[in-house]
Amino acid sequence: MSDASPEGHPVPRHRRHRGASPLRIMTHEIGHILGLPDNYNGNCAILMSGGSAGTSCTNPYPSSTEAARVDSLFGFAARSAVTPQVFTGSWPAPVAAGAQR
């Protein structure tokens, strides 16, 4: 599958995502598996904004609204009395200054 470049030339899918965070792409696609639709609003804080947030956006975490939506879709599962929360712990581990990727 391809889209058109600004000049109208086809752009293969693998080139459209060049420079994007692989982890963000993966978690975005898992969001689809869990029932979340695309939301191309360009907001990096919204996981389902996908590539519209630009390649500088590396946030792999869903927003609290997205997490609540997944929770509501799977409401048949055991619920707790706590509000849905998004994990923002130490994974992926931050890259130390001067470290190579």
Side-chain angles (χ1 to χ4, degrees):
M1 175 179 230
S2 65
D3 285 332
S5 70
E7 298 82 26
H9 303 291
V11 178
R13 177 176 282 177
H14 72 278
R15 292 190 185 240
R16 282 187 284 166
H17 301 299
R18 184 167 284 161
S21 165
L23 181 59
R24 180 172 169 84
I25 292 170
M26 180 185 70
T27 55
H28 171 92
E29 297 306 327
I30 290 171
H32 288 305
I33 293 167
L34 296 174
L36 297 176
D38 284 321
N39 179 353
Y40 294 117
N41 62 8
N43 183 345
C44 185
I46 306 295
L47 177 62
M48 299 311 290
S49 67
S52 69
T55 56
S56 64
C57 177
T58 59
N59 171 34
Y61 304 109
S63 68
S64 58
T65 301
E66 292 167 320
R69 175 67 180 145
V70 170
D71 186 54
S72 73
L73 292 172
F74 292 90
F76 59 86
R79 289 189 182 265
S80 65
V82 298
T83 305
Q85 296 183 7
V86 176
F87 174 76
T88 58
S90 61
W91 188 87
V95 177
Q100 293 186 9
R101 290 188 131 180

